[in-house]
């Protein structure tokens, strides 16, 4: 299955991707995670991407399309993949169509819908594990021990771009550049909208339903 997870920043794409890939046995491909890994390793790509990410802007299409093209050409993507955070612009969506044109295109686009008023609280309270990347929230999905990952014992941190000011920029970038993808994929008959303002496991079950799976 070749799936795109769509939704505003904070909708729960990364959280749901953790659950979806365990059920579907396909790789989770997050452009945000790839950029953060490049920043941590201090590569040229990371330094370039950081200039945009720190301001809440999108990394230019050519750069982002290039890293996705290389990633989906890897052997582990032959049986499908889950894209999280890509595409984020219409040109990226069209580039993805071109990349997949010999493989029958995408199978589904899952749009996690969350009202804007919840997103700032979700993003400013988000914490991530330095070691394994697991996603937590100070109140909605707190770790058992403060600042310690339940899964691997790693230390939790707050992303530099999860400050209130940067979050506001990211939400307006989403409305202007990414939200038009909802209509784009609806017209192609690929879109499934799933309400994201439910408990994490309920959202996962409903995403499964949209894919024709019964995970109750
Ligand atoms: P995205 O990848 O779409 O930016 P995340 O998966 O990182 O979003 O989730 C953003 C924040 O919201 C995290 O702190 C996460 O723990 C929290 N979160 C995710 N899903 C839910 C949910 N269904 N209810 C409450 N909080 C959630
Ligand atoms: P995310 O982890 O998905 O919230 O992404 C973090 C940041 O990485 C975004 O705010 C962008 O600056 C950058 N980014 C991630 N995916 C893309 C993309 N598809 N296009 C452009 N920039 C991206």
């Amino acid at each position: 299955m070749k799936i795109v997870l769509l939704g505003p920043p904070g909708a729960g794409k990364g959280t749901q991707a953790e659950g979806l890939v365990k059920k579907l046995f396909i790789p989770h491909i997050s452009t945000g995670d790839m950029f953060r890994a490049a920043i941590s390793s201090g590569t040229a790509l990371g330094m370039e991407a950081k200039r945009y990410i720190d301001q809440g802007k999108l990394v230019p299409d050519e750069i982002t399309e290039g890293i996705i093209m290389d990633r989906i050409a890897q052997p582990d993507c032959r049986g499908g993949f889950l894209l999280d955070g890509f595409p984020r612009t219409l040109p990226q969506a069209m580039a993805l169509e071109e990349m997949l044109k010999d493989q029958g295109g995408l199978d589904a686009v899952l749009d996690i819908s969350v009202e804007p008023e919840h997103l700032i609280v979700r993003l400013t309270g988000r914490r991530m594990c330095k070691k394994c990347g697991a996603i937590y929230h100070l109140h909605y999905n707190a770790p058992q021990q403060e600042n310690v990952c339940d899964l691997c014992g790693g230390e939790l941190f707050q992303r530099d771009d999860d400050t209130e000011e940067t979050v506001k920029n990211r939400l307006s970038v989403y409305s202007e550049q990414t939200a038009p993808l909802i209509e784009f994929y609806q017209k192609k008959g690929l879109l499934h909208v799933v309400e994201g303002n439910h408990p994490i496991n309920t959202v996962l079950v409903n995403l499964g339903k949209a894919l024709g799976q019964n995970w109750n």
Side-chain angles (χ1 to χ4, degrees), residues 97 105-110 184-192:
E97 279 200 326
L106 289 168
D107 295 293
V109 175
L110 303 172
F184 176 84
Y185 285 122
Q186 188 173 32
K187 283 189 178 150
K188 294 189 180 291
L190 289 168
L191 189 78
H192 304 268

Side-chain angles (χ1 to χ4, degrees), residues 9 13 30-33 35-36 49 52-53 56-61 64 84-89 92 126 159 161 170:
K13 299 180 296 298
S30 156
T31 36
D33 285 349
F35 287 135
R36 282 184 289 279
Y52 300 94
I53 294 176
K57 292 183 181 162
L58 294 182
V59 178
D61 287 338
T64 314
D84 157 11
F86 183 92
R88 255 178 158 102
T89 64
Q92 289 180 14
R126 171 161 62 188
R159 278 170 48 174
D161 59 345
R170 288 161 62 203

